Amino acid sequence: MRFDTVIKGGNVVTPAGTFTGDVGISGEKIAALGMELEAEGAKVIDARGHHVIPGVLDVHVHLELPFCGTTSADDYRTGTRAGARGGVTTLIDFAIPYAGESLGQAADNWMKKAEGKSLIDYTFHICITRWKEHKDQIKGMVERGFTTFKEFMIYESEGWQSDDRALFGTLEKMKEYGTMLLVHAESARVLDELIERYHTPEMMERHGAKLHAMTRPNFVEAEAIQRAVQWCEATGGQLYIVHMSTGEGADIVRAAQARGVPVIAETCVQYLVLDDSVFGREDGHLFACCPQLKKPADVERLWQGLRRGEVSVISTDTCTFTREQKAMWQGDWTKIPMGMPGLETLLPLAYTRGVLEGRMTLEEMCAKLSTNPAKIMGLYPRKGAIQVGADADLAIIHPRSALRVAPDEMETNADWSPYEGWELAGFARTTLSRGEVIVDGYAVVGREGRGRWLPRTSAGLEGTRAEPVASRISRGPMSPLRAMDERETAAAGSAAGSAAGSAGGAGR
Ligand code: URP
Ligand code: ZN
Ligand code: ZN
């Protein structure tokens, strides 16, 4: 078999196990895995001494988002360049209808933002912001290739907020179409009340950016997750909790999964490596994101949730604002543009703080950054794993060699980083997207506009198994995705070597 590209001698992470060997690429696809693949006439990429892992899917990204009175500072050019440098080969953004717009118009708007600019492949979650107008448009969006929808339980002032009626009705529709609803879960009215109580000149003078955390105690998130789970359980519609930040949230999701409720949880890497002590810093307002960073005990509980399986995905919620944009707060925490840069540092943080510090294995990291997000978002097996027939989306990382995070050397438009000065391993030495090298020697070389929109036909648990929902629920206390994580981890542990053995045949 002749290949266009052969990646030689890397430590290759596959669903069947991790092995030292080669990846053969023909056109845009992985064509073979094996030892000593024939490389005559092929471009050879030396991966000796490196991990070869599936390209990362960041399934929670906001590029060029009008929000908090300004527009987030990374667009599809800078955002996807940043992603590529961090081994991200697929992203999913959120298409949000502006006043009076339909779901289709929102998708068209986001298509325009991406076209001609994106270096990597992309698609969108479709945001439902006005239930009565949008409910009859959902089916058409499914037919157009969008299988994930989103509702916000807060953000009334942005015109995005959904009430229980919308959540309940949308989940019913998700059940009907086999699609999935993503929810930003925070308790709007309690949050409004707490903000109003603290929003005085004295309090702002005394506490500054710490008020961002003080007004969002954990029960603000927990109550909303509980309520969304209730509607999920009542309707049977698939629910995905975005950017879960609390230990209480993880407890609720775990208990619901044990009852067979089709709920999945995502956390973001910032909730795993930072806590709310940052708000006491001189520049603490820079770290305001929504939901906000929580306590060290939450950080520990989320890592535990990743290990045990109730947390299935790590993403970023990238929503970049520059120092100048963040300065809009002028001492009033309710005016801070909420969000942080993230695409460039997702993999380095997960690898350094997760794998190198012993909180997860390399295979577990690949499950949370690539395989699970691809399965849950209806992009598997095209994306999410190194296996024959998949898109050749790969990241090659050095196991230990670290770079110091320095904003002026980064691709993001942010002129600051939450991780400035941190030494992180796991930046991509090489990134391939559909067989094409887009990062070489840690530098972005990909052409903007080469990224493609990814149509989808499935999502959520529906997308990960063939059996009907009822038979899955009767399987017992472990959720299907938790079972999936544990099977894959066990397979990765026991099958090292056998992957190379069995896959070798494909290359001959
Ligand atoms: O701070 C954040 N996360 N900004 C983006 C909007 C959201 O809630 O995801
Ligand atoms: Zn959100
Ligand atoms: Zn978000």
Side-chain angles (χ1 to χ4, degrees):
M1 192 171 190
R2 293 181 74 87
F3 304 106
D4 297 313
T5 303
V6 179
I7 299 172
K8 280 268 169 203
N11 180 50
V12 184
V13 180
T14 83
T18 301
F19 72 100
T20 303
D22 305 345
V23 181
I25 298 169
S26 293
E28 299 189 342
K29 302 284 183 190
I30 296 171
L33 304 173
M35 321 293 282
E36 305 294 335
L37 291 181
E38 176 58 55
E40 206 188 310
K43 172 187 173 74
V44 173
I45 297 176
D46 185 359
R48 285 173 301 171
H50 288 72
H51 297 309
V52 180
I53 62 174
V56 171
L57 285 86
D58 188 348
V59 299
H60 190 147
V61 174
H62 305 275
L63 297 177
E64 214 184 324
L65 174 70
F67 184 49
C68 297
T70 180
T71 298
S72 67
D74 275 313
D75 66 2
Y76 271 83
R77 194 184 77 79
T78 60
T80 61
R81 287 179 68 89
R85 188 163 173 264
V88 177
T89 49
T90 301
L91 70 78
I92 312 189
D93 197 336
F94 295 80
I96 307 181
Y98 303 116
E101 285 181 343
S102 65
L103 300 183
Q105 284 167 319
D108 293 343
N109 291 339
W110 255 261
M111 288 283 194
K112 284 194 202 102
K113 288 181 204 255
E115 276 163 11
K117 285 192 179 171
S118 191
L119 261 73
I120 61 174
D121 293 348
Y122 55 88
T123 185
F124 317 115
H125 310 291
I126 304 297
C127 297
I128 296 164
T129 51
R130 293 184 307 283
W131 167 244
K132 283 193 179 159
E133 278 166 62
H134 291 155
K135 64 179 174 182
D136 295 328
Q137 300 166 13
I138 295 172
K139 189 160 182 276
M141 297 310 291
V142 178
E143 286 160 1
R144 221 179 124 172
F146 296 100
T147 55
T148 49
F149 296 84
K150 165 84 179 284
E151 284 174 352
F152 300 90
M153 293 172 80
I154 62 162
Y155 299 140
E156 188 171 28
S157 60
E158 300 284 349
W160 299 349
Q161 188 173 305
S162 287
D163 60 11
D164 287 344
R165 183 182 195 164
L167 290 166
F168 181 81
T170 309
L171 281 162
E172 281 184 326
K173 290 208 179 280
M174 299 298 108
K175 168 80 176 157
E176 188 182 342
Y177 305 138
T179 49
M180 186 171 71
L181 178 64
L182 285 66
V183 169
H184 175 134
E186 287 189 288
S187 196
R189 293 293 164 248
V190 173
L191 183 55
D192 290 345
E193 172 62 22
L194 295 176
I195 289 175
E196 204 173 297
R197 280 186 204 173
Y198 284 92
H199 201 231
T200 66
E202 301 73 45
M203 281 290 176
M204 290 195 273
E205 175 68 31
R206 195 150 118 213
H207 300 294
K210 284 188 202 159
L211 283 165
H212 185 50
M214 289 164 65
T215 49
R216 287 178 135 93
N218 283 18
F219 58 73
V220 167
E221 180 177 274
E223 184 277 334
I225 291 180
Q226 184 70 69
R227 191 152 33 99
V229 164
Q230 181 74 63
W231 304 143
C232 169
E233 192 160 13
T235 58
Q238 301 185 96
L239 172 69
Y240 178 99
I241 304 293
V242 298
H243 52 44
M244 189 171 72
S245 62
T246 57
E248 287 86 339
D251 292 343
I252 293 165
V253 168
R254 185 170 177 83
Q257 289 177 343
R259 299 195 299 279
V261 179
V263 56
I264 297 170
E266 157 202 279
T267 192
C268 300
V269 75
Q270 58 270 28
Y271 304 120
L272 297 168
V273 301
L274 295 170
D275 62 61
D276 68 0
S277 59
V278 295
F279 296 120
R281 286 170 44 159
E282 189 78 14
D283 60 355
H285 68 289
L286 294 176
F287 293 79
C289 55
C290 182
Q292 91 284 9
L293 302 166
K294 299 295 195 301
K295 306 279 180 218
D298 297 295
V299 173
E300 283 318 308
R301 179 66 184 85
L302 292 170
W303 278 113
Q304 184 193 43
L306 285 163
R307 275 192 301 275
R308 296 203 307 199
E310 62 266 27
V311 185
S312 300
V313 173
I314 311 175
S315 69
T316 63
D317 197 5
T318 294
C319 192
T320 305
F321 295 107
T322 61
R323 283 178 183 277
E324 191 184 342
Q325 289 175 301
K326 291 275 185 180
M328 285 165 58
W329 86 305
Q330 297 191 321
D332 177 348
W333 91 97
T334 66
K335 297 198 165 60
I336 311 174
M338 291 185 287
M340 302 200 285
L343 276 154
E344 203 156 351
T345 42
L346 168 59
L347 171 58
L349 287 164
Y351 182 71
T352 306
R353 292 302 181 90
V355 178
L356 292 184
E357 295 187 8
R359 295 185 178 90
M360 54 171 37
T361 64
L362 181 64
E363 291 78 11
E364 283 166 341
M365 182 193 78
C366 293
K368 306 295 179 181
L369 293 183
S370 302
T371 315
N372 285 359
K375 288 183 173 176
I376 292 164
M377 298 303 167
L379 291 167
Y380 188 87
R382 177 169 176 190
K383 305 289 188 188
I386 299 181
Q387 54 192 345
V388 172
D391 280 359
D393 288 0
L394 304 159
I396 303 177
I397 62 172
H398 192 276
R400 300 228 152 249
S401 175
L403 296 178
R404 181 181 291 265
V405 176
D408 55 357
E409 289 164 18
M410 295 175 86
E411 293 290 343
T412 167
N413 260 341
D415 51 358
W416 69 286
S417 168
Y419 317 107
E420 187 161 352
W422 292 26
E423 298 275 345
L424 297 178
F427 282 100
R429 184 208 73 180
T430 312
T431 305
L432 288 97
S433 163
R434 284 183 277 100
E436 188 179 333
V437 174
I438 60 169
V439 169
D440 190 16
Y442 298 95
V444 178
V445 295
R447 178 179 52 82
E448 59 194 69
R450 62 167 299 288
R452 288 190 200 138
W453 173 64
L454 298 165
R456 294 174 287 157
T457 56
S458 64
L461 304 177
E462 297 291 348
T464 63
R465 32 192 43 78
E467 321 120 76
V469 173
S471 75
R472 280 189 269 122
I473 290 174
S474 66
R475 206 187 279 168
M478 187 177 287
S479 84
L481 268 169
R482 278 166 54 202
M484 179 180 89
D485 279 350
E486 286 170 24
R487 268 202 311 278
E488 283 176 0
T489 304
S494 66
S498 78
S502 59
R508 283 188 212 113

